[in-house]
Amino acid sequence: MSQRVFSTLLRNGRLQLSLLLHHTGLSSRQLKHSLAVLIQQHLVYHYKTTDGDATFYEADWKSAYALVRPGKIIKLVEERFGKVAGGVISNLLLLGHARVDDLVAAYNLDAGRDGRMDAGNAAYIKGGGMLNGAGKVKTANTTKARGLTLEVLHTTIYNLLEAGFLMQVLPAHFRSLTDNRNEAERVVQRYAEFGGPPKGTKQKAAFEAEVQKQLQTWQLGDKFGAKFVDGAAGARKRPMGCSAQLGPGKRARLEDGSAYHQDRFDDDDGPILDDDLVLRINHEKLNVAFRNQRLVEFADHCIGKTTSQIYAEVLQRLEGTIQRCRTEHNVFFNTDDDEEPPPTFTASELSTLLRKDLDLVGAIGREDLTKWNSKHSRLRKKQRLKRQDQEHGGLDENEDEEMSSDDVDDNHSAFGEEGDDNDVPALNPKSGMASIKEHLQLLAEDPHEFIQSVEKYNGMVEWSVDFKALSKQLRQLELETTITARFGPAATRMVRIFLDKGKLDEKQITNIGLIHQKQMRAALTVMHEAGHLELQEVPRDNNRQPSRTMFLWYFDPERCRQLILEETYKAMARCLQRVKVERVAIQTLIDKAERTDVIGNEDQYLSVDERVVLSRWREKEERILGEVGRLDDLVGVLRDY
């Protein structure tokens, strides 16, 4: 039923309840139940008019697309915060949103007891997690979290809130962006300083700033950018006498529930979140983390592993100041002129974040020691001859010709004035700070400009990351990769020429690209038919005769991006449909293999032929879903970053 309602909203757009009843053919009770489920999962927006006469429902296709990424999200969270955090994210992915008290009940944690979860028992919330807390809990033995306590769970949720991966559910999250925009304008117009629609350039700018401020408050809450510390944004205050500072030493690293012990935590230690605080996953912040991962992979490919690890720490250092990859409100007005300066960092700040086992010195290439030893011997010999010349008043002519002033200069600069012949020249080890600066310099001097230097008035050098330019380079790289795979390297060469020179005719393309005319025309025709190139006709006179018309070819990156993105959506849908078809073919065998008495005893209950068929199916499913994951990476670069 929910599928029918969602597909109806996608086909017909924004509808009222009466029209939904007409298009879906469901009863009023069935339709309301389906809408409640979809709203709980944040798959449908709803908006009630100001007069309260009608309520409109609208499908959120972006939230529906996010259902493809649960595996990536859970993996990212587990790598950063441990398996307990991954379980919290998994529950919220299933529920859409839930109260803190519902999450505590899902793990069978009772604050009135010793605060420790029953051994081997974890729970998933069944159909609950509603705003009124009417959810029920069903215990299952599928989750193991030995040693998990109420304190650990609250601290885990707190850390996810601090990182921005979780956010408080607000009424604006159930309205579409257009509805929020219209509502914000209506609220701001009632301010005394405006008293209606804005007039004049200055008043319009002030009006726009107030609207943005209101939208920001509705989306992120009143405590925008504030941490979920004691007494703020739904966190309870600690009793008197407890420390208000939650630092790294306050908690052990959240890797697994088994790493925690009850005697490590007091009842008053750490933040205790409000039980009625409703939470959901912040997909915008997760897109920031996924973009950082993609940039780290790009830096690893262009520079090296160690430098990319330093770059990962740089991006994670800046991640806390970035709320989203793209500002969605740009569809309503232009904010390019009012962009805030990018966040910066220093090498000293970065040095405190790096692992001590990271080899910073050895990662940068040095000259071979054998070459240094050979050069060292020659220079020492010539230095000795020069010293003899100074003592005896002259050199032999042949010896004078062998010795050049450049060698003497190199000798002094590399090895100093004096030294024993048996001394082995060793490279001066770089200090940790100097090595960090060298790696930062590598990132800055790369043609892709992974970071940029910013000099302050006091002479201190700070660094920043231009995410907008880097995201544009990632998109261009994906476009060129796709074009090369479809049309060949000659097509990619012409695309780069168009990006550099603009609109060109065939003669100019041939001269600049050094491409044969026949090959050039074939590539242009195929790309034009596929929609990746555009053709503009410029007549030389008013008659518009073909012989008197110039035909200019050009490349539109935005159109090409939209085209490839649409084709990627279709490919993902076909892959998922193929998985469904293949699964239906052996559904009886899959149901048998998923029985609780069969799991772990496949050799006893399944025949050889059944095990072979099941193995082939799982391998096929893994390949198809792996392809869906790779296509999702492409969508992230072209749409989200």
Side-chain angles (χ1 to χ4, degrees), residues 176-221:
S176 66
L177 183 62
T178 305
D179 291 331
N180 283 329
R181 171 76 183 185
N182 295 335
E183 191 69 22
E185 290 180 351
R186 195 175 298 112
V187 170
V188 174
Q189 285 179 5
R190 291 197 290 264
Y191 289 177
E193 57 182 302
F194 297 108
K199 300 177 181 179
T201 304
K202 292 184 178 180
Q203 193 177 33
K204 287 182 179 180
F207 179 82
E208 203 61 62
E210 290 295 330
V211 169
Q212 272 300 293
K213 184 178 178 181
Q214 188 66 49
L215 288 172
Q216 185 173 271
T217 302
W218 286 351
Q219 289 291 332
L220 300 173

Side-chain angles (χ1 to χ4, degrees), residues 279-478:
L279 303 175
R280 62 167 295 188
I281 294 177
N282 187 0
H283 292 282
E284 292 288 345
K285 189 68 173 184
L286 287 168
N287 287 337
V288 176
F290 288 138
R291 180 182 65 181
N292 291 347
Q293 284 186 343
R294 185 66 180 86
L295 290 176
V296 170
E297 295 174 0
F298 192 29
D300 187 9
H301 174 74
C302 296
I303 301 178
K305 183 176 181 180
T306 303
T307 306
S308 66
Q309 291 176 347
I310 296 176
Y311 193 48
E313 295 294 341
V314 169
L315 297 179
Q316 193 166 354
R317 167 71 175 79
L318 302 177
E319 188 177 295
T321 61
I322 302 173
Q323 299 297 327
R324 57 177 58 89
C325 294
R326 293 187 176 186
T327 303
E328 296 180 339
H329 308 305
N330 284 346
V331 298
F332 298 105
F333 57 90
N334 186 13
T335 58
D336 293 339
D337 298 334
D338 301 330
E339 288 184 354
E340 297 181 357
T344 59
F345 67 95
T346 61
S348 59
E349 295 174 351
L350 182 61
S351 62
T352 60
L353 304 175
L354 298 177
R355 301 196 320 267
K356 294 182 179 180
D357 59 344
L358 196 61
D359 185 13
L360 300 177
V361 179
I364 299 179
R366 308 292 181 184
E367 190 172 353
D368 191 2
L369 260 183
T370 57
K371 297 180 179 179
W372 279 96
N373 292 336
S374 176
K375 182 178 180 181
H376 170 73
S377 300
R378 293 196 309 270
L379 293 177
R380 288 301 181 190
K381 180 179 179 180
K382 295 176 181 180
Q383 187 181 27
R384 186 169 55 251
L385 293 176
K386 181 181 179 182
R387 192 164 51 248
Q388 292 176 359
D389 173 51
Q390 294 175 352
E391 293 176 357
H392 301 289
L395 278 175
D396 187 70
E397 293 181 359
N398 296 331
E399 294 177 345
D400 189 27
E401 293 176 358
E402 292 176 359
M403 183 174 181
S404 64
S405 59
D406 294 338
D407 292 336
V408 175
D409 293 339
D410 292 340
N411 176 35
H412 283 272
S413 61
F415 306 106
E417 295 292 338
E418 298 292 339
D420 188 16
D421 293 341
N422 296 325
D423 291 341
V424 178
L427 294 174
N428 294 328
K430 298 286 185 182
S431 63
M433 186 62 63
S435 299
I436 293 174
K437 291 180 179 180
E438 286 185 354
H439 286 280
L440 294 177
Q441 199 67 27
L442 286 176
L443 291 168
E445 293 178 354
D446 189 86
H448 299 95
E449 294 185 359
F450 291 101
I451 61 176
Q452 297 176 348
S453 61
V454 180
E455 293 187 4
K456 295 296 184 179
Y457 62 90
N458 56 0
M460 180 181 297
V461 177
E462 295 186 353
W463 305 88
S464 64
V465 179
D466 189 354
F467 289 102
K468 186 176 180 180
L470 288 173
S471 299
K472 183 179 180 180
Q473 293 183 33
L474 288 178
R475 289 193 292 271
Q476 184 61 31
L477 180 63
E478 292 294 344

Side-chain angles (χ1 to χ4, degrees), residues 173 294 490 503:
H173 297 160
R294 185 66 180 86
K503 299 179 181 180

